[in-house]
Amino acid sequence: MKLFYSPGACSVGIHVLLEEIGAPYEAVLVNLREGAQFKPDFAGLNPKSKVPTLERDDGTVLTEYPAIAFWLASRFPTAGLMPSGMDAQARALEATDYCVATMHMQGFSRMFRPANFAPSEADHAAVKARGEEIFAKGLGLMDKALAGREWLAGTYSFADSALFYVSFWWNARLQKDLPGNVAAHFARMNARPAVQRTLKAEGLA
Ligand SMILES: N[C@@H](CCC(=O)N[C@@H](CS)C(=O)NCC(=O)O)C(=O)O
């Protein structure tokens, strides 16, 4: 397998899952700052021009964080990333999609890419503030989801990698506090050898 990633981007969560699994893979750096995602080599592989992108051993390419995480957890069951039972699996997907589609795409994207939401620079402060509000609401919901449990779907699962990367952005990148249960979850994630190997490999440790 090949994981196309950019250091500290959302692909860091998929990188963690691959480290948890332990099957052979190659991590291929896509330099987003230099626009490598739009160059023919990468755009030919993933016309969406986004990381994470996973090239599987049969040569097929999978995109979109929730789909990649779900596929990895299903394909490598012994890694224990797929919770057991339909209800817990649905909960894992529910949390993953919320972290990616709402907290990241609606919240963080507004904070980091306000121009994608409002062409006029005069509106950017308001767009950023709205992004922070969406993200903070998401943290509150994740905090409730973690009440009385260590992991989002009850047992450790692919969903925890998604909460890890948005927590990483908020806490490690922006130096902002996480609510109690999310902070404890982030500490549990950071204690995992797979997370430590990933952060080191991406130059983030
Ligand atoms: N919906 C996509 C979002 C992926 C995404 O937004 N990735 C960002 C990095 S965190 C990216 O590749 N950005 C490059 C760009 O927008 O040019 C997913 O679930 O994987």
PDB file of all heavy atoms in Angstrom, residues 31-57:
ATOM      1  N   ASN A  31       3.676  17.553  -1.252  1.00  0.00           N
ATOM      2  CA  ASN A  31       3.910  18.873  -0.665  1.00  0.00           C
ATOM      3  C   ASN A  31       2.777  19.830  -1.048  1.00  0.00           C
ATOM      4  O   ASN A  31       2.778  20.416  -2.135  1.00  0.00           O
ATOM      5  CB  ASN A  31       5.277  19.407  -1.125  1.00  0.00           C
ATOM      6  CG  ASN A  31       5.690  20.593  -0.288  1.00  0.00           C
ATOM      7  OD1 ASN A  31       4.859  21.401   0.122  1.00  0.00           O
ATOM      8  ND2 ASN A  31       6.976  20.701  -0.029  1.00  0.00           N
ATOM      9  N   LEU A  32       1.809  19.962  -0.146  1.00  0.00           N
ATOM     10  CA  LEU A  32       0.620  20.780  -0.446  1.00  0.00           C
ATOM     11  C   LEU A  32       1.003  22.247  -0.621  1.00  0.00           C
ATOM     12  O   LEU A  32       0.410  22.949  -1.428  1.00  0.00           O
ATOM     13  CB  LEU A  32      -0.421  20.649   0.670  1.00  0.00           C
ATOM     14  CG  LEU A  32      -0.999  19.243   0.925  1.00  0.00           C
ATOM     15  CD1 LEU A  32      -2.055  19.294   2.025  1.00  0.00           C
ATOM     16  CD2 LEU A  32      -1.585  18.639  -0.333  1.00  0.00           C
ATOM     17  N   ARG A  33       1.986  22.694   0.176  1.00  0.00           N
ATOM     18  CA  ARG A  33       2.384  24.114   0.088  1.00  0.00           C
ATOM     19  C   ARG A  33       2.933  24.464  -1.288  1.00  0.00           C
ATOM     20  O   ARG A  33       2.767  25.575  -1.777  1.00  0.00           O
ATOM     21  CB  ARG A  33       3.440  24.431   1.136  1.00  0.00           C
ATOM     22  CG  ARG A  33       2.769  24.562   2.453  1.00  0.00           C
ATOM     23  CD  ARG A  33       3.619  25.163   3.516  1.00  0.00           C
ATOM     24  NE  ARG A  33       2.828  25.003   4.744  1.00  0.00           N
ATOM     25  CZ  ARG A  33       3.306  24.930   5.933  1.00  0.00           C
ATOM     26  NH1 ARG A  33       4.588  25.055   6.125  1.00  0.00           N
ATOM     27  NH2 ARG A  33       2.531  24.765   6.966  1.00  0.00           N
ATOM     28  N   GLU A  34       3.589  23.480  -1.900  1.00  0.00           N
ATOM     29  CA  GLU A  34       4.145  23.726  -3.241  1.00  0.00           C
ATOM     30  C   GLU A  34       3.160  23.379  -4.346  1.00  0.00           C
ATOM     31  O   GLU A  34       3.507  23.417  -5.525  1.00  0.00           O
ATOM     32  CB  GLU A  34       5.432  22.908  -3.414  1.00  0.00           C
ATOM     33  CG  GLU A  34       6.569  23.447  -2.575  1.00  0.00           C
ATOM     34  CD  GLU A  34       7.836  22.595  -2.671  1.00  0.00           C
ATOM     35  OE1 GLU A  34       7.861  21.624  -3.460  1.00  0.00           O
ATOM     36  OE2 GLU A  34       8.779  22.901  -1.926  1.00  0.00           O
ATOM     37  N   GLY A  35       1.952  22.970  -3.955  1.00  0.00           N
ATOM     38  CA  GLY A  35       0.922  22.663  -4.966  1.00  0.00           C
ATOM     39  C   GLY A  35       1.111  21.320  -5.653  1.00  0.00           C
ATOM     40  O   GLY A  35       0.569  21.094  -6.746  1.00  0.00           O
ATOM     41  N   ALA A  36       1.847  20.404  -4.997  1.00  0.00           N
ATOM     42  CA  ALA A  36       2.105  19.100  -5.619  1.00  0.00           C
ATOM     43  C   ALA A  36       0.806  18.319  -5.871  1.00  0.00           C
ATOM     44  O   ALA A  36       0.754  17.461  -6.754  1.00  0.00           O
ATOM     45  CB  ALA A  36       3.038  18.282  -4.732  1.00  0.00           C
ATOM     46  N   GLN A  37      -0.249  18.654  -5.107  1.00  0.00           N
ATOM     47  CA  GLN A  37      -1.513  17.930  -5.286  1.00  0.00           C
ATOM     48  C   GLN A  37      -2.170  18.201  -6.638  1.00  0.00           C
ATOM     49  O   GLN A  37      -3.034  17.450  -7.081  1.00  0.00           O
ATOM     50  CB  GLN A  37      -2.481  18.248  -4.126  1.00  0.00           C
ATOM     51  CG  GLN A  37      -3.040  19.657  -4.065  1.00  0.00           C
ATOM     52  CD  GLN A  37      -2.144  20.634  -3.326  1.00  0.00           C
ATOM     53  OE1 GLN A  37      -0.926  20.558  -3.415  1.00  0.00           O
ATOM     54  NE2 GLN A  37      -2.734  21.565  -2.596  1.00  0.00           N
ATOM     55  N   PHE A  38      -1.757  19.319  -7.287  1.00  0.00           N
ATOM     56  CA  PHE A  38      -2.352  19.678  -8.581  1.00  0.00           C
ATOM     57  C   PHE A  38      -1.491  19.247  -9.770  1.00  0.00           C
ATOM     58  O   PHE A  38      -1.890  19.398 -10.911  1.00  0.00           O
ATOM     59  CB  PHE A  38      -2.602  21.200  -8.645  1.00  0.00           C
ATOM     60  CG  PHE A  38      -3.476  21.691  -7.522  1.00  0.00           C
ATOM     61  CD1 PHE A  38      -2.964  22.542  -6.544  1.00  0.00           C
ATOM     62  CD2 PHE A  38      -4.795  21.286  -7.421  1.00  0.00           C
ATOM     63  CE1 PHE A  38      -3.762  22.985  -5.495  1.00  0.00           C
ATOM     64  CE2 PHE A  38      -5.608  21.726  -6.376  1.00  0.00           C
ATOM     65  CZ  PHE A  38      -5.087  22.575  -5.403  1.00  0.00           C
ATOM     66  N   LYS A  39      -0.297  18.750  -9.469  1.00  0.00           N
ATOM     67  CA  LYS A  39       0.616  18.350 -10.553  1.00  0.00           C
ATOM     68  C   LYS A  39       0.134  17.022 -11.154  1.00  0.00           C
ATOM     69  O   LYS A  39      -0.482  16.201 -10.459  1.00  0.00           O
ATOM     70  CB  LYS A  39       2.043  18.191 -10.001  1.00  0.00           C
ATOM     71  CG  LYS A  39       2.578  19.459  -9.327  1.00  0.00           C
ATOM     72  CD  LYS A  39       3.611  20.159 -10.189  1.00  0.00           C
ATOM     73  CE  LYS A  39       3.906  21.571  -9.724  1.00  0.00           C
ATOM     74  NZ  LYS A  39       4.723  21.629  -8.501  1.00  0.00           N
ATOM     75  N   PRO A  40       0.406  16.803 -12.439  1.00  0.00           N
ATOM     76  CA  PRO A  40      -0.158  15.634 -13.128  1.00  0.00           C
ATOM     77  C   PRO A  40       0.108  14.297 -12.425  1.00  0.00           C
ATOM     78  O   PRO A  40      -0.775  13.438 -12.388  1.00  0.00           O
ATOM     79  CB  PRO A  40       0.503  15.669 -14.511  1.00  0.00           C
ATOM     80  CG  PRO A  40       0.957  17.078 -14.691  1.00  0.00           C
ATOM     81  CD  PRO A  40       1.192  17.664 -13.334  1.00  0.00           C
ATOM     82  N   ASP A  41       1.309  14.135 -11.866  1.00  0.00           N
ATOM     83  CA  ASP A  41       1.628  12.848 -11.208  1.00  0.00           C
ATOM     84  C   ASP A  41       0.578  12.475 -10.177  1.00  0.00           C
ATOM     85  O   ASP A  41       0.063  11.364 -10.160  1.00  0.00           O
ATOM     86  CB  ASP A  41       2.971  12.972 -10.460  1.00  0.00           C
ATOM     87  CG  ASP A  41       4.129  12.645 -11.358  1.00  0.00           C
ATOM     88  OD1 ASP A  41       3.869  12.405 -12.552  1.00  0.00           O
ATOM     89  OD2 ASP A  41       5.278  12.655 -10.858  1.00  0.00           O
ATOM     90  N   PHE A  42       0.288  13.453  -9.291  1.00  0.00           N
ATOM     91  CA  PHE A  42      -0.646  13.148  -8.208  1.00  0.00           C
ATOM     92  C   PHE A  42      -2.103  13.297  -8.660  1.00  0.00           C
ATOM     93  O   PHE A  42      -2.951  12.453  -8.328  1.00  0.00           O
ATOM     94  CB  PHE A  42      -0.381  14.039  -6.986  1.00  0.00           C
ATOM     95  CG  PHE A  42      -1.265  13.696  -5.819  1.00  0.00           C
ATOM     96  CD1 PHE A  42      -1.066  12.513  -5.107  1.00  0.00           C
ATOM     97  CD2 PHE A  42      -2.321  14.512  -5.457  1.00  0.00           C
ATOM     98  CE1 PHE A  42      -1.902  12.162  -4.048  1.00  0.00           C
ATOM     99  CE2 PHE A  42      -3.161  14.173  -4.397  1.00  0.00           C
ATOM    100  CZ  PHE A  42      -2.944  12.998  -3.691  1.00  0.00           C
ATOM    101  N   ALA A  43      -2.399  14.336  -9.419  1.00  0.00           N
ATOM    102  CA  ALA A  43      -3.782  14.545  -9.863  1.00  0.00           C
ATOM    103  C   ALA A  43      -4.260  13.397 -10.757  1.00  0.00           C
ATOM    104  O   ALA A  43      -5.448  13.091 -10.807  1.00  0.00           O
ATOM    105  CB  ALA A  43      -3.915  15.884 -10.577  1.00  0.00           C
ATOM    106  N   GLY A  44      -3.303  12.732 -11.426  1.00  0.00           N
ATOM    107  CA  GLY A  44      -3.667  11.572 -12.237  1.00  0.00           C
ATOM    108  C   GLY A  44      -4.132  10.415 -11.361  1.00  0.00           C
ATOM    109  O   GLY A  44      -4.980   9.609 -11.747  1.00  0.00           O
ATOM    110  N   LEU A  45      -3.577  10.378 -10.161  1.00  0.00           N
ATOM    111  CA  LEU A  45      -3.916   9.310  -9.207  1.00  0.00           C
ATOM    112  C   LEU A  45      -5.206   9.653  -8.464  1.00  0.00           C
ATOM    113  O   LEU A  45      -6.104   8.838  -8.297  1.00  0.00           O
ATOM    114  CB  LEU A  45      -2.758   9.224  -8.206  1.00  0.00           C
ATOM    115  CG  LEU A  45      -2.525   7.973  -7.434  1.00  0.00           C
ATOM    116  CD1 LEU A  45      -2.082   6.871  -8.365  1.00  0.00           C
ATOM    117  CD2 LEU A  45      -1.414   8.243  -6.394  1.00  0.00           C
ATOM    118  N   ASN A  46      -5.269  10.888  -8.003  1.00  0.00           N
ATOM    119  CA  ASN A  46      -6.466  11.367  -7.299  1.00  0.00           C
ATOM    120  C   ASN A  46      -6.860  12.741  -7.867  1.00  0.00           C
ATOM    121  O   ASN A  46      -6.322  13.770  -7.448  1.00  0.00           O
ATOM    122  CB  ASN A  46      -6.202  11.473  -5.791  1.00  0.00           C
ATOM    123  CG  ASN A  46      -7.436  12.009  -5.048  1.00  0.00           C
ATOM    124  OD1 ASN A  46      -8.485  12.255  -5.663  1.00  0.00           O
ATOM    125  ND2 ASN A  46      -7.313  12.190  -3.743  1.00  0.00           N
ATOM    126  N   PRO A  47      -7.805  12.750  -8.792  1.00  0.00           N
ATOM    127  CA  PRO A  47      -8.203  14.010  -9.427  1.00  0.00           C
ATOM    128  C   PRO A  47      -8.830  15.005  -8.443  1.00  0.00           C
ATOM    129  O   PRO A  47      -8.985  16.183  -8.771  1.00  0.00           O
ATOM    130  CB  PRO A  47      -9.231  13.583 -10.486  1.00  0.00           C
ATOM    131  CG  PRO A  47      -9.157  12.093 -10.570  1.00  0.00           C
ATOM    132  CD  PRO A  47      -8.525  11.589  -9.311  1.00  0.00           C
ATOM    133  N   LYS A  48      -9.154  14.555  -7.237  1.00  0.00           N
ATOM    134  CA  LYS A  48      -9.663  15.485  -6.219  1.00  0.00           C
ATOM    135  C   LYS A  48      -8.525  16.346  -5.661  1.00  0.00           C
ATOM    136  O   LYS A  48      -8.778  17.338  -4.965  1.00  0.00           O
ATOM    137  CB  LYS A  48     -10.321  14.717  -5.074  1.00  0.00           C
ATOM    138  CG  LYS A  48     -11.571  13.950  -5.484  1.00  0.00           C
ATOM    139  CD  LYS A  48     -12.048  13.055  -4.336  1.00  0.00           C
ATOM    140  CE  LYS A  48     -13.262  12.245  -4.742  1.00  0.00           C
ATOM    141  NZ  LYS A  48     -13.557  11.176  -3.752  1.00  0.00           N
ATOM    142  N   SER A  49      -7.271  15.910  -5.895  1.00  0.00           N
ATOM    143  CA  SER A  49      -6.088  16.644  -5.412  1.00  0.00           C
ATOM    144  C   SER A  49      -6.080  16.806  -3.896  1.00  0.00           C
ATOM    145  O   SER A  49      -5.798  17.888  -3.369  1.00  0.00           O
ATOM    146  CB  SER A  49      -5.974  18.019  -6.094  1.00  0.00           C
ATOM    147  OG  SER A  49      -5.700  17.857  -7.466  1.00  0.00           O
ATOM    148  N   LYS A  50      -6.395  15.726  -3.199  1.00  0.00           N
ATOM    149  CA  LYS A  50      -6.451  15.770  -1.730  1.00  0.00           C
ATOM    150  C   LYS A  50      -5.677  14.614  -1.121  1.00  0.00           C
ATOM    151  O   LYS A  50      -5.635  13.511  -1.686  1.00  0.00           O
ATOM    152  CB  LYS A  50      -7.909  15.646  -1.247  1.00  0.00           C
ATOM    153  CG  LYS A  50      -8.850  16.728  -1.752  1.00  0.00           C
ATOM    154  CD  LYS A  50      -8.749  17.981  -0.921  1.00  0.00           C
ATOM    155  CE  LYS A  50      -9.766  19.009  -1.393  1.00  0.00           C
ATOM    156  NZ  LYS A  50      -9.536  20.321  -0.854  1.00  0.00           N
ATOM    157  N   VAL A  51      -5.112  14.870   0.049  1.00  0.00           N
ATOM    158  CA  VAL A  51      -4.635  13.782   0.898  1.00  0.00           C
ATOM    159  C   VAL A  51      -5.624  13.689   2.067  1.00  0.00           C
ATOM    160  O   VAL A  51      -6.237  14.702   2.398  1.00  0.00           O
ATOM    161  CB  VAL A  51      -3.199  14.058   1.419  1.00  0.00           C
ATOM    162  CG1 VAL A  51      -2.222  14.107   0.277  1.00  0.00           C
ATOM    163  CG2 VAL A  51      -3.110  15.317   2.267  1.00  0.00           C
ATOM    164  N   PRO A  52      -5.785  12.508   2.672  1.00  0.00           N
ATOM    165  CA  PRO A  52      -5.134  11.238   2.382  1.00  0.00           C
ATOM    166  C   PRO A  52      -5.651  10.601   1.090  1.00  0.00           C
ATOM    167  O   PRO A  52      -6.836  10.705   0.767  1.00  0.00           O
ATOM    168  CB  PRO A  52      -5.535  10.372   3.586  1.00  0.00           C
ATOM    169  CG  PRO A  52      -6.872  10.891   4.023  1.00  0.00           C
ATOM    170  CD  PRO A  52      -6.795  12.364   3.764  1.00  0.00           C
ATOM    171  N   THR A  53      -4.706   9.918   0.416  1.00  0.00           N
ATOM    172  CA  THR A  53      -5.043   9.069  -0.740  1.00  0.00           C
ATOM    173  C   THR A  53      -4.328   7.754  -0.502  1.00  0.00           C
ATOM    174  O   THR A  53      -3.152   7.754  -0.139  1.00  0.00           O
ATOM    175  CB  THR A  53      -4.544   9.732  -2.040  1.00  0.00           C
ATOM    176  OG1 THR A  53      -5.272  10.942  -2.253  1.00  0.00           O
ATOM    177  CG2 THR A  53      -4.732   8.817  -3.235  1.00  0.00           C
ATOM    178  N   LEU A  54      -5.044   6.669  -0.687  1.00  0.00           N
ATOM    179  CA  LEU A  54      -4.439   5.351  -0.442  1.00  0.00           C
ATOM    180  C   LEU A  54      -4.436   4.545  -1.734  1.00  0.00           C
ATOM    181  O   LEU A  54      -5.501   4.297  -2.316  1.00  0.00           O
ATOM    182  CB  LEU A  54      -5.222   4.583   0.639  1.00  0.00           C
ATOM    183  CG  LEU A  54      -4.585   3.256   1.069  1.00  0.00           C
ATOM    184  CD1 LEU A  54      -3.343   3.500   1.931  1.00  0.00           C
ATOM    185  CD2 LEU A  54      -5.582   2.394   1.846  1.00  0.00           C
ATOM    186  N   GLU A  55      -3.230   4.175  -2.156  1.00  0.00           N
ATOM    187  CA  GLU A  55      -3.123   3.249  -3.292  1.00  0.00           C
ATOM    188  C   GLU A  55      -2.970   1.855  -2.701  1.00  0.00           C
ATOM    189  O   GLU A  55      -2.060   1.607  -1.909  1.00  0.00           O
ATOM    190  CB  GLU A  55      -1.927   3.609  -4.166  1.00  0.00           C
ATOM    191  CG  GLU A  55      -1.863   2.784  -5.440  1.00  0.00           C
ATOM    192  CD  GLU A  55      -0.652   3.151  -6.294  1.00  0.00           C
ATOM    193  OE1 GLU A  55      -0.269   4.333  -6.378  1.00  0.00           O
ATOM    194  OE2 GLU A  55      -0.068   2.218  -6.857  1.00  0.00           O
ATOM    195  N   ARG A  56      -3.901   0.981  -3.086  1.00  0.00           N
ATOM    196  CA  ARG A  56      -3.881  -0.354  -2.501  1.00  0.00           C
ATOM    197  C   ARG A  56      -2.984  -1.289  -3.309  1.00  0.00           C
ATOM    198  O   ARG A  56      -2.530  -0.930  -4.392  1.00  0.00           O
ATOM    199  CB  ARG A  56      -5.316  -0.864  -2.382  1.00  0.00           C
ATOM    200  CG  ARG A  56      -6.095   0.035  -1.420  1.00  0.00           C
ATOM    201  CD  ARG A  56      -7.539  -0.331  -1.304  1.00  0.00           C
ATOM    202  NE  ARG A  56      -8.305   0.058  -2.479  1.00  0.00           N
ATOM    203  CZ  ARG A  56      -9.632   0.003  -2.543  1.00  0.00           C
ATOM    204  NH1 ARG A  56     -10.321  -0.417  -1.507  1.00  0.00           N
ATOM    205  NH2 ARG A  56     -10.262   0.360  -3.639  1.00  0.00           N
ATOM    206  N   ASP A  57      -2.758  -2.497  -2.753  1.00  0.00           N
ATOM    207  CA  ASP A  57      -1.795  -3.400  -3.394  1.00  0.00           C
ATOM    208  C   ASP A  57      -2.255  -3.865  -4.772  1.00  0.00           C
ATOM    209  O   ASP A  57      -1.436  -4.274  -5.588  1.00  0.00           O
ATOM    210  CB  ASP A  57      -1.508  -4.597  -2.479  1.00  0.00           C
ATOM    211  CG  ASP A  57      -0.677  -4.162  -1.274  1.00  0.00           C
ATOM    212  OD1 ASP A  57      -0.035  -3.081  -1.358  1.00  0.00           O
ATOM    213  OD2 ASP A  57      -0.680  -4.870  -0.251  1.00  0.00           O
TER     214      ASP A  57
END
